[in-house]
Amino acid sequence: MSAPGIRTSVFAYVTESPDYRAILAVFAGTFFAELTPAEVTARLAESGTALEEVTVTQRLEQLREWGNLEVSASVGQVGTVEDYYRRRNRYLITRVGQEVHDVVEGVLAQVDDVRDVSLGRLEQLRAGLETLTVLDAATAPPDRLAEAVRAVFDAHVAFSAEITQFFAAINQWQSRFDLDEDEFAFFSEVLVGYVGERLETLRRAARPIAGLLAEVAPVVGTIVERAADGLAARVAAAGLSSVRVRREPGAAEADWENLASWFVSAPGRPSRVQTLERDAVDAVRTLTQNLTRLSRTGTAGSSRRVDFLRLALFFARSDAARAHELASAAFGMFGARHLGGAGGDDTDPVSSATSWWDAPVATVPVSLRERGDTTSRGRTSRVQDRTQERRHLLAKRAEAEKRAAAARAELLEAGAGGFSARLSEPALRELQRVLTRAVADLGAGTASSGSITLDGVRCEVRREPGSTTSVPTHAGALRIEGLVMTVEPAP
């Protein structure tokens, strides 16, 4: 389900008639100019798309309903009612319509392209981090801090997008079996060596960046607080909660945590760069194996693509009887004629007149299938003693119940104290479990409160606009807007 306020209908035209893309292309190149249906029809004809004006009018109205276009509110000076309606019937593209058109056309234009990876962005990222280490986060001017943060995250956003798309393409290519001669040469002569060089350069560049991120980590909170700049910060300072402004990357500590996860490893969690490197090596290894298979005859002519095309040609030139023979030989698709023995009344659930197509699958004993008889061989296996396993499972369950009871006791103690103490991870999970169900009981209607009692814990939430309930946890503060929460023992 989409979030409130987000209109997904602006993407509906992509799966509809190609006429919609052609019409939006006319508006996208006009810099928000106002066009009538007649003008749009003329421009479509100039680009090679012949549509009647009635059809164009219908398409324009549909795009307006989806939110890609809007009707102009400016009619200027008019002398007659006819002029008024003629000028009123002018369309222009909306801001979201322009952005959606750019995104869709960009994706469709580059879906088969191989995008290069510019590792020079890592040098920009490194330079930005070095600038931050030189600046004193507590005394430096906020505008200089904001500029340094933008330099770091602009380079990181561009680099992460490029490298993720490139390695995703490698993972898709590793299962290709339909290479033609040019693609074969690209993979064998260019791509494998290019990936190796890029991985080595990436490995060398990631080490100093990880060191700089570790140096900046202690003052990230100060940087985020003092580097608040731009429209989003001014809207927040003015208290305009109803206005949504997209924040720049780096304006929250979570952005810095995401940046660190790309280059800094943690116990049990490799960095994103290490993960991409490992996946790329595995993909290139698979590519190399496929290239070795394809090059056994010295050319790309041994590709399965050629074999399938030759088989399709055989099917195209065969009659019905020969096509069945080809299918049987190539794919094992034999006819539905079978031989078998007569089943007894107690083992055959259907009559012998039932078609093999409708009859259930026959049950064939293992001895009959493998040896051709039903004679029992060997000794009967002893029943295994599962006492130790059962004792271990019971102890494990008791320990889990003990930990859950301790977490609930911690939650009740924190609730009695107004949630001033920091919750542990198990206690946070218990709070999320009861809070989710209490909010579900509150629902989206006009009910003023909702409650739930679960495993001795009663959680109640009440609507109170403007209030904020904050629960400190090991991972940060859990903030609940517009609700008052009460957690107490069940009566």
Side-chain angles (χ1 to χ4, degrees):
M1 180 179 295
S2 60
I6 298 179
R7 295 186 58 178
T8 57
S9 60
V10 291
F11 291 93
Y13 79 96
V14 179
T15 58
E16 297 292 335
S17 171
D19 300 343
Y20 292 107
R21 287 182 58 198
I23 292 174
L24 279 182
V26 171
F27 282 92
T30 59
F31 298 99
F32 297 92
E34 301 173 1
L35 300 176
T36 64
E39 293 171 340
V40 175
T41 303
R43 297 196 181 193
L44 288 174
E46 293 176 0
S47 63
T49 303
L51 290 176
E52 296 182 358
E53 185 175 342
V54 176
T55 304
V56 172
T57 303
Q58 295 174 351
R59 298 285 192 267
L60 290 171
E61 276 299 306
Q62 183 62 66
L63 287 169
R64 184 185 65 81
E65 292 181 7
W66 286 332
N68 305 88
L69 300 178
E70 63 182 356
V71 178
S72 173
S74 174
V75 296
Q77 295 182 355
V78 295
T80 64
V81 175
E82 183 180 356
D83 289 340
Y84 171 81
Y85 282 107
R86 184 183 301 110
R87 295 195 178 189
R88 185 67 179 84
N89 192 22
R90 302 178 69 87
Y91 296 83
L92 70 158
I93 194 168
T94 61
R95 182 185 66 84
V96 66
Q98 179 74 49
E99 293 184 1
V100 168
H101 172 79
D102 295 340
V103 170
V104 169
E105 296 302 320
V107 171
L108 294 179
Q110 302 177 10
V111 66
D112 293 326
D113 293 348
V114 182
R115 186 175 183 180
D116 198 0
V117 179
S118 175
L119 295 182
R121 303 188 190 278
L122 292 179
E123 295 298 329
Q124 300 173 6
L125 174 58
R126 179 179 177 180
L129 289 172
E130 290 175 346
T131 303
L132 277 177
T133 57
V134 173
L135 293 175
D136 186 355
T139 60
D143 56 342
R144 292 192 60 188
L145 277 178
E147 182 179 355
V149 169
R150 279 194 292 269
V152 169
F153 279 90
D154 287 347
H156 170 63
V157 169
F159 165 75
S160 60
E162 290 179 359
I163 195 114
T164 302
Q165 292 175 6
F166 179 74
F167 285 162
I170 293 179
N171 288 330
Q172 292 178 353
W173 291 331
Q174 65 180 341
S175 58
R176 290 279 303 274
F177 296 103
D178 58 342
L179 304 180
D180 56 24
E181 187 173 353
D182 293 336
E183 292 173 329
F184 180 87
F186 168 74
F187 281 114
S188 60
E189 300 174 10
V190 178
L191 184 61
V192 175
Y194 174 83
V195 171
E197 295 174 0
R198 277 296 189 261
L199 290 178
E200 181 60 29
T201 306
L202 177 61
R203 189 182 302 110
R204 291 197 304 266
R207 295 193 187 99
I209 292 177
L212 290 171
L213 284 171
E215 186 176 349
V216 173
V219 294
V220 165
T222 305
I223 293 175
V224 170
E225 181 180 356
R226 300 195 67 246
D229 192 12
L231 181 61
R234 298 191 179 189
V235 170
L240 302 177
S241 59
S242 60
V243 179
R244 296 189 306 172
V245 180
R246 184 184 304 172
R247 292 183 175 271
E248 293 291 333
E253 294 189 20
D255 298 334
W256 289 90
E257 294 174 359
N258 177 62
L259 173 61
S261 68
W262 272 84
F263 301 96
V264 181
S265 302
R269 181 188 62 79
S271 65
R272 291 285 301 278
V273 170
Q274 292 175 337
T275 303
L276 286 174
E277 180 180 351
R278 180 192 60 200
D279 295 342
V281 170
D282 294 341
V284 169
R285 185 182 298 114
T286 304
L287 276 173
T288 305
Q289 294 173 354
N290 291 340
L291 294 176
T292 303
R293 175 188 58 79
L294 294 175
S295 61
R296 286 173 183 170
T297 62
T299 64
S302 60
S303 170
R304 293 186 180 180
R305 176 175 179 271
V306 177
D307 296 335
F308 286 137
L309 289 176
R310 185 181 298 111
L311 180 60
L313 182 62
F314 291 159
F315 274 107
R317 295 178 177 177
S318 300
D319 55 16
R322 180 58 62 87
H324 285 295
E325 295 177 0
L326 283 173
S328 299
F331 307 112
M333 300 174 64
F334 302 98
R337 297 182 178 86
H338 307 274
L339 298 176
D345 294 337
D346 56 340
T347 60
D348 195 352
V350 296
S351 65
S352 58
T354 305
S355 169
W356 282 83
W357 185 269
D358 302 322
V361 178
T363 302
V364 181
V366 176
S367 59
L368 179 61
R369 183 170 63 248
E370 295 183 353
R371 298 186 295 271
D373 59 55
T374 57
T375 304
S376 299
R377 291 176 172 81
R379 294 180 299 176
T380 304
S381 300
R382 296 177 56 187
V383 178
Q384 296 184 7
D385 185 6
R386 303 287 185 180
T387 304
Q388 293 293 338
E389 291 84 347
R390 188 180 297 107
R391 187 179 296 114
H392 171 72
L393 291 176
L394 291 175
K396 186 176 180 180
R397 179 184 299 175
E399 180 65 24
E401 293 177 353
K402 181 179 179 182
R403 290 195 299 267
R408 289 192 291 271
E410 178 186 351
L411 175 61
L412 292 173
E413 182 178 357
F419 293 104
S420 59
R422 178 175 296 180
L423 290 181
S424 63
E425 183 176 355
L428 175 60
R429 287 198 298 267
E430 291 294 328
L431 174 60
Q432 292 172 335
R433 192 163 67 102
V434 297
L435 177 59
T436 300
R437 300 192 180 186
V439 172
D441 183 64
L442 176 63
T446 59
S448 60
S449 64
S451 62
I452 185 66
T453 301
L454 190 63
D455 295 333
V457 178
R458 182 179 182 273
C459 178
E460 180 182 2
V461 291
R462 301 188 309 276
R463 298 185 192 274
E464 189 171 315
S467 64
T468 300
T469 302
S470 180
V471 180
T473 71
H474 69 287
L478 172 63
R479 296 169 59 91
I480 306 173
E481 303 288 346
L483 295 177
V484 175
M485 176 181 63
T486 303
V487 177
E488 59 187 3

